[in-house]
Amino acid sequence: LPTCANMRRGLRWLLDGAQAGDQLFFAYSGHGAQVADATSDEDDGQDECLCPFDCVAPGGWPKNLIIDDELNDLFTNQLPEGVKCLCIYDCCHSASMEDLSCTFKTRTDTGVVKAVSNPRDIKGRYMAPPEHAQRDLAVVKEKQQTQDAKPRKVAESTGGGGKKLVVISGCQDNQTSADATINGKRQGALTWALMKALMEHDYSMSYDDLLVAVRANLRA
């Protein structure tokens, strides 16, 4: 089961023994959420997070969440020099899941999934936090509406180096990713669009071309 412990064990396994020349791949398709920032390192006061199977167990929130700070440490600080890594987050609030120093968007408008058996079947992958967490977020959002509110800030670039981390996200931090029955199969919209693009190009294309093809698939 994708419990927090099992997911963390898998992440450690992925990085364990990685050395220059290796290419790593991590994909997450599931629920995403936001929690009040407990370390005061986010100017918007919110951390993005992955929601493992047991995060809704008694006492599991936020103990069993995987926060963006943890992912940033794993895939940025602990990624060995000379290693390339691709991470895909098909979940809500995922734009800055890695807190990278730069972002790339193909266009500013939003895509709509049309290859569904029933348009009403499209649902967000948002997982509502428990009441105590929602109260914490409400305080953060109220503070952000004051004159002292600051824009979202991502990690500073450490400059150069042989490591390379690429992240593809399903939506912006203030958006939810779509989950739908596409071609008769229940799946995440981003995951479907990625697989379709890769298969149509025989799994050989640049990241830029992949992003353009994914957006085109979502809008087709």
Side-chain angles (χ1 to χ4, degrees):
L1 294 175
T3 62
C4 184
N6 286 340
M7 289 177 64
R8 283 180 171 144
R9 189 177 301 112
L11 289 168
R12 289 193 297 269
W13 169 86
L14 180 63
L15 289 168
D16 186 37
Q19 55 188 342
D22 288 345
Q23 298 187 47
L24 310 182
F25 176 74
F26 172 70
Y28 174 82
S29 182
H31 286 297
Q34 290 176 311
V35 294
D37 174 26
T39 58
S40 300
D41 63 346
E42 304 280 8
D43 283 340
D44 67 354
Q46 299 176 89
D47 278 321
E48 284 65 50
C49 59
L50 307 183
C51 300
F53 177 76
D54 54 348
C55 73
V56 293
W61 196 292
K63 182 182 68 174
N64 292 336
L65 297 174
I66 298 179
I67 307 296
D68 56 3
D69 294 348
E70 180 178 351
L71 294 168
N72 177 265
D73 180 60
L74 279 169
F75 290 116
T76 300
N77 299 332
Q78 297 186 41
L79 190 69
E81 290 295 324
V83 173
K84 297 179 180 179
C85 181
L86 170 63
C87 294
I88 296 173
Y89 295 102
D90 188 357
C91 59
C92 300
H93 312 298
S94 53
S96 62
M97 192 64 76
E98 292 280 1
D99 283 344
L100 297 182
S101 58
C102 60
T103 59
F104 173 79
K105 293 184 291 185
T106 56
R107 58 183 67 171
T108 58
D109 54 337
T110 57
V112 178
V113 180
K114 296 183 179 180
V116 296
S117 56
N118 182 357
R120 295 181 181 179
D121 195 38
I122 299 176
K123 298 179 181 179
R125 291 188 143 189
Y126 173 71
M127 174 174 283
E131 290 186 6
H132 69 86
Q134 291 188 43
R135 289 194 294 269
D136 292 341
L137 282 172
V139 172
V140 169
K141 292 178 180 179
E142 182 178 356
K143 182 178 180 181
Q144 283 300 103
Q145 293 174 359
T146 68
Q147 294 181 352
D148 295 330
K150 298 179 181 179
R152 173 80 191 191
K153 184 178 73 175
V154 293
E156 296 293 332
S157 173
T158 55
K163 65 178 69 176
K164 180 179 181 180
L165 174 62
V166 175
V167 176
I168 298 177
S169 302
C171 62
Q172 297 296 324
D173 284 339
N174 62 346
Q175 296 176 328
T176 60
S177 286
D179 187 59
T181 301
I182 305 173
N183 297 328
K185 183 179 181 181
R186 195 70 184 176
Q187 56 194 304
L190 173 62
T191 301
W192 166 80
L194 277 166
M195 292 304 299
K196 185 174 186 292
L198 289 170
M199 288 188 290
E200 289 176 345
H201 292 81
D202 199 25
Y203 298 92
S204 180
M205 57 196 311
S206 67
Y207 287 124
D208 288 356
D209 289 342
L210 176 60
L211 289 176
V212 171
V214 165
R215 176 57 67 90
N217 286 339
L218 290 172
R219 292 175 57 84

